[in-house]
Amino acid sequence: MSPKRGERAAPPPVGDEFDLRFATSEAANGWDELSHHAPGNLRRAFERIRSTPRAHDSPERHHRLKGKLGATIWKGQTLECWQYEVTGGGRIWYLVDDANRTAWITYAGTGHPKATD
């Protein structure tokens, strides 16, 4: 069965790790699509986001979104929006919720999000 909105993307976090959860059912479906298309890359993205959601050591692959896409209101809080490039076209967009140590996955898929078109 495919994951749904609000569900965890994988096993629970350990120690200081962030919890990864799906913000929408579409993001959960996209994650599943990525898992079939690029499982190794998705695993590396998962581990990186979970351990260091604001990593700056690979800015071409992992960075905060720019302009009006750089922040959004989620459950009454303004949260930073970040992107991880899983493949040449595949992306994960997520919100960094420090208060709950959660990365809310708002988009996952094998193509560019429509918001960037």
Side-chain angles (χ1 to χ4, degrees):
M1 181 175 358
S2 295
K4 305 285 186 253
R5 177 176 54 102
E7 289 185 356
R8 183 172 284 124
V14 177
D16 289 340
E17 293 178 331
F18 273 65
D19 196 7
L20 272 67
R21 291 191 175 265
F22 299 111
T24 67
S25 293
E26 292 81 11
N29 292 336
W31 183 275
D32 192 48
E33 184 181 332
L34 276 171
S35 74
H36 296 296
H37 183 72
N41 290 3
L42 181 59
R43 176 62 182 254
R44 283 185 288 280
F46 167 78
E47 290 173 356
R48 184 54 142 175
I49 294 167
R50 171 168 269 184
S51 66
T52 316
R54 291 184 180 94
H56 292 285
D57 59 337
S58 183
E60 69 285 349
R61 186 166 293 275
H62 192 188
H63 61 271
R64 185 173 177 184
L65 295 172
K66 294 175 178 46
K68 67 179 182 175
L69 298 175
T72 194
I73 297 175
W74 176 257
K75 297 185 177 189
Q77 305 176 72
T78 300
L79 303 178
E80 295 176 6
C81 300
W82 282 70
Q83 172 178 275
Y84 192 99
E85 182 180 327
V86 180
T87 65
R91 303 285 190 271
I92 299 169
W93 282 15
Y94 60 94
L95 308 174
V96 180
D97 180 350
D98 290 307
N100 296 301
R101 298 209 48 87
T102 301
W104 290 99
I105 301 166
T106 58
Y107 174 84
T110 57
H112 290 277
K114 293 189 186 321
T116 60
D117 292 341

